[in-house]
Amino acid sequence: MSVPAISTSVGSFYLSRSQCRSSSRGLPRRSLMAIRSGAVSVAPILTNLRKDTATPLPVLRHVADAMATDMRNGLAIDGGSDLKMILSYVDTLPTGNEKGLFYALDLGGTNFRVLRVQLGGKEERVIDTEFEQVSIPQDLMFGTSEQLFDFMASGLAKFSQKEGGKFHLPSGRTREIGFTFSFPVRQLSIDSGILMKWTKGFAVSGTPGKDIVACLNEAMGRLGLEMRVSALVNDAVGTLAGARYWDDDVMVAVILGTGTNACYVERTDAIPKQKGQVSSSGRTIINTEWGAFSSGLPLTVYDNEMDAASINPGEQIFEKTISGMYLGEIVRRVLLKMAQAGDLFGKSVPEKLFSPFILRTPDLCAMQQDNSDDLQSVGSILYNVAGLETNLSARKIVVEVCDTIVKRGGRLAGAGIVGILQKMEEDSKGLIFGKRTVVAMDGGLYENYPQYRKYLQEAVTELLGTEISRNVVIEHSKDGSGIGAALLAAANSKTEDGLFCYSNSNQSSLSFLDRFVCSAMIRFILLQNRQGKTRLAKYYVPLEDSEKHKVEYEVHRLVVNRDPKFTNFVEFRTHKVIYRRYAGLFFSLCVDITDNELAYLECIHLFVEILDHFFSNVCELDLVFNFHKVYLILDEFILAGELQETSKKAIIERMGELEKLE
């Protein structure tokens, strides 16, 4: 039985023939046949391979424990372990209330995919979806940043022109995109992130160190394409969001395709390196970048040789052991060794077998599906791909080599999953394994390779035991990353006038910025300390509690992380925040975009002077224990969002009169 044909993408593990050929550049040309000498039996080679790749329970347990330890170290401090443990800034997952037309762009392999989805809220959920897949030319993978992003923007523009049918964009709205970018990124916010390095065979110049959202927005601007990125995620985060949309028990997402990665839902109080940042939900998604994990892995000489010949030697060791891009290449190197040192393929070695990546993981899968007595499909694949003439005995050994490498990959992936769950279980004191917990899986390797899936599940069951493993559900979430990115774009959508807050209940879906009156006024006032504790909050527009928490979180993150060299006013959606810092407190006002910034800076300073005079050298504790008096002072100063009194003397006298009445 052959493997279903699928094209190259984040979710696939196919490698183009051109890419395979390009990987062999620089290698010396060999004659059509290399004649081997001093042949020995291949049996010792196969025996050593089985021994070196063995994954018994102690090895799996060590890998799981090391994964959990590296996760903690990576959360404690940047650079604390091989795992980057990157903050995703996804604090609120889709709820099902999302409505509207949203796009997703998914880049994570040798293809990129564009997708649109029409969301209908709780009743209709996903009304319709459409997507297209575009192959990335080989030269663009090694070209310039501008070339790559212009190519993607062009594909997005062509796709958007075909919009019709059930897809409808309300008048006056701008199309919004969830950008799935599956390379290591240091996330700055939900819609910005700096590329740390390229992986998966990409080496595009001019992009590392830059904001990739800005790169895409600039490319769309050059084409005159009216779209904007509302959410930046990687494929694992997108998969988790897409799966969580349908199942609230989803806590982990894993990608097993060309490359690999994993993410999970983490408590914000378990992230020491977050440095005082708060989340309105108390949880966020952590992107582990687990492909860089390397502790305790059972590696062979073939792994070491492949790593040394790669474009990133010494890096992404876990990915090179378990992901679809590399499994076929490891098998090729084993077969080449058997052909050169043993008698597996006769007296000569075809030139093709010397070509890196000529044997792909889908070829392994197809060979392992051959259940015929003579393994005819195995013979055909070996001949067509590598020019190998084989007898039945040789074919059986080839299948055995494939199974050995794939078994190690699947079982190590299972151990990695258990490591994540184990860390979550310990932190939650028994809330993970004691209930149904879902791990969402995506990627062509997991989807199309049944033996790999079986070995992964077996490892999870061995490590957790039969009883606990029943509560851990590993589910395939097909195309979850694309849908998830579009859903996160919806959850972070911006209208022309402000922010859509789709996740609220049955009341208006517009957030506070859309409900502001058009006249100039102060929208809200916040007093927050550096740790994110709100000491005073006064809103001059009606807001639900969930909206207030979100506003306070976003404003705190905005002002605390802002470089002191910058101005004290910054855009906040379609309005702006004016702020000043006094000791450990931040005083923030939200006003119209056209209001006078300097006037409001003076307004904040006057308020502080009044507090200082009234409390005689005011400190944070005065605000905590006398909050009612602080609100009284504020009401004398500002009423209904407008300045009522600018005389410090008059306000102090009125407060004195109120004190006499107590």
Side-chain angles (χ1 to χ4, degrees):
M1 183 177 71
S2 61
V3 182
I6 56 175
S7 56
T8 313
S9 69
V10 168
S12 88
F13 51 85
Y14 273 66
L15 202 61
S16 67
R17 292 294 183 196
S18 61
Q19 184 174 353
C20 296
R21 286 191 292 270
S22 71
S23 300
S24 62
R25 292 172 185 167
L27 292 176
R29 295 287 298 172
R30 291 175 170 82
S31 60
L32 184 61
M33 294 287 187
I35 307 301
R36 65 171 181 83
S37 60
V40 297
S41 170
V42 300
I45 299 175
L46 185 57
T47 299
N48 288 333
L49 180 69
R50 290 173 181 154
K51 178 183 176 182
D52 293 342
T53 60
T55 51
L57 186 57
V59 170
L60 295 180
R61 199 171 300 284
H62 174 79
V63 169
D65 291 343
M67 180 71 73
T69 299
D70 274 12
M71 289 171 66
R72 295 186 194 282
N73 294 338
L75 289 174
I77 185 173
D78 286 331
S81 77
D82 289 338
L83 304 188
K84 300 294 184 185
M85 303 303 286
I86 299 170
L87 303 177
S88 70
Y89 291 90
V90 175
D91 304 321
T92 304
L93 290 165
T95 64
N97 292 314
E98 295 78 11
K99 290 184 178 182
L101 172 62
F102 296 92
Y103 279 74
L105 190 153
D106 190 339
L107 174 66
T110 50
N111 287 8
F112 78 88
R113 185 174 56 156
V114 287
L115 175 146
R116 57 175 152 253
V117 55
Q118 189 76 38
L119 303 174
K122 282 287 189 186
E123 297 300 321
E124 297 179 278
R125 292 277 178 162
V126 177
I127 296 173
D128 203 1
T129 61
E130 286 181 347
F131 74 92
E132 286 184 2
Q133 197 158 267
V134 182
S135 295
I136 298 176
Q138 181 78 19
D139 58 323
L140 291 186
M141 295 174 64
F142 300 91
T144 66
S145 176
E146 189 170 297
Q147 290 172 334
L148 177 63
F149 282 93
D150 281 353
F151 180 76
M152 292 192 295
S154 175
L156 191 56
K158 293 174 183 176
F159 181 66
S160 66
Q161 291 171 0
K162 303 173 186 177
E163 186 182 291
K166 296 181 180 180
F167 300 96
H168 173 67
L169 185 74
S171 178
R173 287 287 310 282
T174 298
R175 290 172 180 83
E176 298 183 84
I177 309 168
F179 186 13
T180 302
F181 188 78
S182 303
F183 300 89
V185 167
R186 180 168 63 87
Q187 197 103 11
L188 303 177
S189 68
I190 187 63
D191 57 0
S192 64
I194 304 298
L195 176 65
M196 300 166 69
K197 63 179 179 180
W198 289 106
T199 56
K200 305 176 187 177
F202 280 73
V204 179
S205 64
T207 318
K210 288 188 177 180
D211 182 351
I212 48 105
V213 171
C215 291
L216 180 58
N217 283 334
E218 289 167 6
M220 292 190 293
R222 286 191 288 269
L223 291 178
L225 181 60
E226 293 187 2
M227 285 187 170
R228 62 185 170 205
V229 177
S230 295
L232 170 66
V233 299
N234 69 5
D235 49 359
V237 173
T239 296
L240 197 154
R244 184 73 172 249
Y245 184 69
W246 302 102
D247 190 339
D248 290 339
D249 291 334
V250 174
M251 298 296 289
V252 180
V254 176
I255 301 297
L256 286 167
T258 302
T260 184
N261 197 11
C263 69
Y264 70 104
V265 179
E266 180 62 280
R267 294 174 16 246
T268 53
D269 61 3
I271 312 174
K273 70 178 181 182
Q274 206 169 5
K275 296 179 182 177
Q277 297 178 25
V278 294
S279 165
S280 57
S281 65
R283 293 178 178 272
T284 190
I285 298 177
I286 295 294
N287 165 25
T288 66
E289 289 295 337
W290 80 349
F293 175 75
S294 61
S295 180
L297 300 178
L299 302 178
T300 68
V301 62
Y302 312 105
D303 299 298
N304 296 331
E305 289 173 353
M306 181 185 69
D307 175 54
S310 69
I311 62 174
N312 56 347
E315 300 178 5
Q316 302 297 110
I317 303 301
F318 196 48
E319 181 171 79
K320 291 171 181 174
T321 310
I322 72 170
S323 75
M325 182 172 182
Y326 300 99
L327 297 180
E329 172 61 7
I330 299 170
V331 169
R332 182 197 70 83
R333 288 177 178 272
V334 176
L335 297 184
L336 179 59
K337 176 68 173 178
M338 289 181 167
Q340 290 177 315
D343 55 0
L344 184 61
F345 303 120
K347 295 182 178 180
S348 60
V349 184
E351 182 189 22
K352 283 185 177 181
L353 196 56
F354 288 93
S355 300
F357 294 97
I358 193 69
L359 190 64
R360 306 172 304 156
T361 300
D363 298 325
L364 312 190
C365 180
M367 288 190 285
Q368 282 202 268
Q369 309 318 307
D370 186 358
N371 296 317
S372 63
D373 292 336
D374 59 357
L375 297 177
Q376 182 177 0
S377 294
V378 175
S380 297
I381 292 169
L382 291 172
Y383 181 78
N384 293 332
V385 172
L388 294 171
E389 295 276 5
T390 58
N391 55 32
L392 180 58
S393 176
R395 294 170 196 172
K396 288 180 178 179
I397 291 174
V398 170
V399 172
E400 179 69 20
V401 171
C402 293
D403 188 69
T404 300
I405 299 302
V406 169
K407 181 177 183 178
R408 179 188 65 170
R411 286 173 65 81
L412 288 177
I417 291 172
V418 171
I420 294 176
L421 295 172
Q422 186 174 295
K423 192 267 181 193
M424 297 172 71
E425 169 75 2
E426 291 168 0
D427 287 356
S428 66
K429 295 180 174 58
L431 296 181
I432 297 297
F433 293 151
K435 65 178 184 65
R436 181 176 182 268
T437 298
V438 177
V439 179
M441 309 290 296
D442 199 8
L445 176 59
Y446 182 83
E447 178 183 0
N448 295 298
Y449 211 142
Q451 283 86 354
Y452 191 99
R453 287 198 306 270
K454 178 174 77 75
Y455 290 134
L456 185 153
Q457 183 65 66
E458 285 178 354
V460 171
T461 302
E462 284 180 37
L463 282 165
L464 296 180
T466 306
E467 289 300 317
I468 292 178
S469 63
R470 288 197 184 104
N471 289 335
V472 176
V473 180
I474 298 177
E475 287 185 348
H476 180 224
S477 177
K478 184 173 176 59
D479 297 329
S481 60
I483 293 288
L487 288 167
L488 290 172
N492 293 275
S493 172
K494 309 171 188 70
T495 68
E496 295 300 319
D497 300 316
L499 169 72
F500 267 95
C501 190
Y502 286 89
S503 59
N504 286 336
S505 58
N506 295 326
Q507 299 183 10
S508 170
S509 62
L510 294 179
S511 74
F512 72 100
L513 291 177
D514 297 295
R515 295 199 289 270
F516 285 162
V517 295
C518 295
S519 61
M521 64 177 291
I522 297 172
R523 310 307 183 187
F524 59 77
I525 300 174
L526 298 176
L527 271 67
Q528 298 171 301
N529 64 19
R530 282 175 293 183
Q531 289 71 41
K533 294 287 186 181
T534 300
R535 299 308 189 189
L536 178 145
K538 186 75 173 182
Y539 294 88
Y540 298 104
V541 290
L543 292 180
E544 297 176 359
D545 288 342
S546 58
E547 285 185 335
K548 291 178 182 178
H549 290 316
K550 185 174 182 180
V551 168
E552 291 163 20
Y553 167 63
E554 291 181 354
V555 170
H556 176 263
R557 188 173 67 185
L558 194 65
V559 301
V560 169
N561 295 326
R562 190 167 168 82
D563 194 314
K565 295 182 294 185
F566 296 160
T567 63
N568 286 64
F569 37 92
V570 58
E571 289 188 5
F572 181 68
R573 305 306 184 185
T574 56
H575 294 75
K576 61 188 172 187
V577 167
I578 316 297
Y579 70 95
R580 291 187 76 161
R581 176 180 175 181
Y582 294 86
L585 285 175
F586 291 84
F587 291 69
S588 305
L589 305 179
C590 181
V591 299
D592 288 335
I593 198 71
T594 56
D595 283 357
N596 188 319
E597 299 93 348
L598 297 179
Y600 282 110
L601 280 173
E602 286 304 308
C603 173
I604 293 173
H605 189 65
L606 178 58
F607 182 41
V608 172
E609 284 187 333
I610 295 170
L611 291 174
D612 195 56
H613 187 282
F614 184 80
F615 290 107
S616 300
N617 197 13
V618 67
C619 69
E620 184 175 347
L621 290 178
D622 290 321
L623 307 182
V624 173
F625 293 111
N626 299 282
F627 64 90
H628 58 293
K629 293 182 180 180
V630 178
Y631 279 101
L632 285 174
I633 294 173
L634 187 59
D635 287 342
E636 292 293 334
F637 184 36
I638 299 171
L639 186 65
E642 297 181 358
L643 288 174
Q644 297 301 307
E645 180 59 74
T646 58
S647 169
K648 180 170 67 173
K649 180 180 178 182
I651 294 173
I652 293 296
E653 287 177 352
R654 290 174 190 167
M655 289 301 300
E657 293 298 322
L658 290 172
E659 289 260 274
K660 293 176 184 179
L661 296 176
E662 291 184 353

